[in-house]
Amino acid sequence: MTVSLLTALVLSVCAQPSAAQEFAPLPFGGGFVRNGGQWSDHVQYAAGVQGAGLGLLEDGFQWTLRTGEDRLSLWFEWQGGPDLSGAWQPAEPLPGLHHYWVGRGPGVTGLRPYSSARLIAGEDALRIEVRETKGWVLSTDSGGEVSLRLRGGTAKQLAPNGALVVEAAGVQFSVPAPRMAPGVQGLWAIRGDASVAVVPGGPVPAEAGGPSTTQYTDSPSIDWSTYLGAPDSADWGRGATYDSQGRPLACGRTASAQFPTFAGPFLNPPGGVEDGYLTKLTGDASELVFSTYLGGSKKDYLVAVDTASNDEISIVARTNSADWPVTPGAFDTTLDAVGSNYALAIGRLTADGSTPIFSTFFGSSTSDLAFRYFTIAKDDGTVLASGETGGVPITPGNAFGNTNWSGFLSKFSADGSELLFSCRPPCDAYMAELSDGSIVVYGDALDSNFDSIGGFQESFNGGMSDTWLGILNSEGSELLASTFLGGNAGEGGLGLDVDAVDNIYVCGTTQSPNFPQVASPFGGAPFPNAPGFIAKFDRTLSQPDWTALIGTDNSLVNYQTAWRGLISDRSGITTVVGWATPAAPVDYPTAGAHNVEFPVFYNGRMMRLSPDGERVLYSSAFEVDEPSQSPGIRVPAKAANPRVAMLNGHTGTFFDEMLPTPGVFKECIQGVENCGVETYLTQFNFFHEGVQALGEGGESCLGIISLNTTRRADVGADDFAFYVSQAPSSSVAVLLLGGALALPLPIEGQTLWVDPTALLPLQLFSTQETGYGAFDLVIPPTAAGKSFAVQAAILGTSECGEAGAFVLSEALRVSVP
């Protein structure tokens, strides 16, 4: 058997003689390397400056740049300038970006995590600052030249905006120009391939002036957060997803003639009283890729969007415009709605949003109040659509016959000319696909005249509604399995997703005192309050693996938790979002999450559970107000990295604030600007305080391998653990802990960030069938104030990856308070 270099490295480290005298003992038998200078003899700065990491060393600084998938670490060593004999000292933190400082010696205390700051060194007070103006400052008291030696790349040229262009391995990176105090723009000067200098230039541009007074979100869990809209109208966010490059794509409706559009797509300027919009942003949400209106001369809005693997886009819209842009030969080219009524429109667009591949009217409706719509852009060009409406046509031979229930599930041919099937399941049809193409539908069931097929709960359980879950074959002609889920008072089914091995996850809210609890990991009480629920089934639907009630069991406290959306990664880690009523504490909060404080008004709620339902991986509130009348929280959309999810919705007029991050497309703030009702897009990474990604993971048969923590790494916490997702299933994993490499080590297409010469004793754990695995760790007191790097190496199997060869997860830097 051929042994790969990475496998040989892991095995050789495992086989090394123990050097116990070099390690402080830990409860699990390993230890942290005694301080040899890697943590506190110099200052390490884990930060994001215009998407790049900056590290401050005693003899200079290190900047990690990224262009697309290419990453480069540059070292700048001091060659001349101010006296650097003094120690780096932290100054008062400034508000702004999400940064964490680890200082030198016991005197460095009281720094607020995740805040911008500056360092001062030497008698001449050299300063390096990172500010919320999205720039950095390198200054001396004299404002004179600072000389540096460049390592890791070649200085090529100066860009017109003053940036330094550096090339490495044929890829060019841009290092933004610094500023020099007081009020002077710094300029790069090239002194040779390996030498550069920062010299004074002109006045600091007005847009790059002092710190802004605008309030930004300050959280380790948010990569970016942006508004989208125009100041003269309401802009409603109704759906979002990612393309194959991780760029967000959002849809909704707007009444504005000033909505931000981009030249090229097919409807600019707007065509009616209200139009749908379709907008794609760059991966950091800083710029438009394209943005277009969609609609006719009356009222239109987009309510669902999805992308295929080639980035072609499927949409569902509601329209009462007879001139909605339908394509020749489409299934239905005539609007079947009159007056203020609406019909649906189904379509598929090219990847750049410029051209409809097909666009067809579909059925009719009676109002614009319904908002549950979903679509799947299949790779064969066909389009699935589902939701709630009153008048879509049905096809002969469908699984439900000539019924008139509230939901629909329909499929169109690749050219939009043929309705392949259309049926009316007994619920407002949330939709997902299993691995063999079978279709899962889920939602509220208001009709008791239907028996389930081989399901856990055979019949309607009474009350206002139950939830109903069913599986149809890919042709929509046969119901393979189905079940009700509910008690005798009332349930709302509000989210659905599946994992890679066809487990099914659903969520909602219940008022039933006898809601079925199966192997419940939390044991919440459903009455008198209305808790949210989450449940997991296999595809037989014969018995839940578990159901979880999330809410208070205190009858003296009256609050409600309602889950409004759900998403599962391919390993079955399930994220639910929703809202809770006033004075509701965050359920099962995890230390260091985005917001674990009590909210003042209705507040957003977010929780992640392990696939077995036994562990809360993340729990937080977030800022958007979401009373039950508003669809302001939308289902989060999937991304390639399973620890990333995106929320899309819209704020209200008064209390709602999903605070933006610096540098995004729109930084509108309620009370600061005239925002009105605004669309928002927010990408959560589910990191807790003190955790930072160093590099992306390799891929298994399930996708990119993610690594994360269950909480902040507080000393002695008994619920701290590392967990992996989308790893090779039912396999052995090795946790690599130790010092971080200054430059990552490329090994056979993977990237190692943990120093192999400074590893702690390796720790073994296993992955479950779904590729999820967890390793509990108790942080000892000796680790306080230090940081370490961590990666997981998972052994491939014959079913997933290369048998006997290791694949690396993403890498993290974890800082212990």
Side-chain angles (χ1 to χ4, degrees), residues 572-591:
I573 290 177
T574 300
T575 304
V576 289
V577 294
W579 56 267
T581 56
V586 176
D587 298 298
Y588 309 97
T590 53

Side-chain angles (χ1 to χ4, degrees), residues 60-330:
F61 59 98
Q62 175 183 323
W63 206 329
T64 301
L65 305 170
R66 183 169 182 173
T67 300
E69 297 302 315
D70 298 302
R71 192 184 297 268
L72 171 69
S73 286
L74 301 172
W75 290 6
F76 296 89
E77 297 179 356
W78 311 123
Q79 287 188 306
D83 176 13
L84 298 175
S85 60
W88 290 110
Q89 297 293 332
E92 290 298 320
L94 306 171
L97 298 177
H98 315 156
H99 304 149
Y100 189 80
W101 293 98
V102 178
R104 173 179 179 171
V108 182
T109 60
L111 290 181
R112 186 166 66 94
Y114 293 94
S115 61
S116 182
R118 66 182 183 270
L119 294 184
I120 303 173
E123 295 176 357
D124 288 333
L126 177 77
R127 296 178 178 88
I128 295 182
E129 303 182 17
V130 181
R131 290 186 174 177
E132 65 183 17
T133 50
K134 304 177 290 296
W136 61 290
V137 179
L138 176 62
S139 64
T140 67
D141 284 352
S142 63
E145 177 175 318
V146 176
S147 298
L148 312 110
R149 185 165 73 94
L150 173 69
R151 295 173 55 187
T154 301
K156 299 295 291 183
Q157 60 181 331
L158 300 178
N161 62 359
L164 174 69
V165 179
V166 177
E167 184 174 290
V171 179
Q172 291 192 344
F173 298 82
S174 179
V175 184
R179 289 182 286 119
M180 302 189 73
V184 176
Q185 175 71 57
L187 298 176
W188 289 107
I190 299 178
R191 303 292 189 228
D193 287 349
S195 296
V196 295
V198 177
V199 299
V204 175
E207 66 272 16
S212 167
T213 58
T214 303
Q215 183 183 5
Y216 295 107
T217 186
D218 187 10
S219 169
S221 303
I222 293 180
D223 288 331
W224 51 258
S225 184
T226 186
Y227 286 92
L228 181 65
D232 62 336
S233 76
D235 306 288
W236 294 269
R238 306 296 294 224
T241 188
Y242 291 93
D243 72 4
S244 63
Q245 300 179 50
R247 297 177 296 187
L249 181 68
C251 73
R253 67 168 170 168
T254 178
S256 174
Q258 305 299 321
F259 189 87
T261 57
F262 190 88
F266 63 88
L267 184 60
N268 295 306
V273 179
E274 292 179 350
D275 283 298
Y277 70 80
L278 183 67
T279 301
K280 181 182 285 190
L281 295 152
T282 55
D284 60 0
S286 63
E287 300 178 27
L288 295 178
V289 176
F290 71 75
S291 186
T292 182
Y293 292 99
L294 279 165
S297 57
K298 292 189 177 180
K299 290 186 177 182
D300 320 276
Y301 54 101
L302 269 63
V303 289
V305 64
D306 188 45
T307 57
S309 61
N310 64 356
D311 288 341
E312 289 181 356
I313 304 162
S314 66
I315 58 167
V316 177
R318 295 175 66 84
T319 178
N320 62 9
S321 298
D323 55 350
W324 172 274
V326 295
T327 51

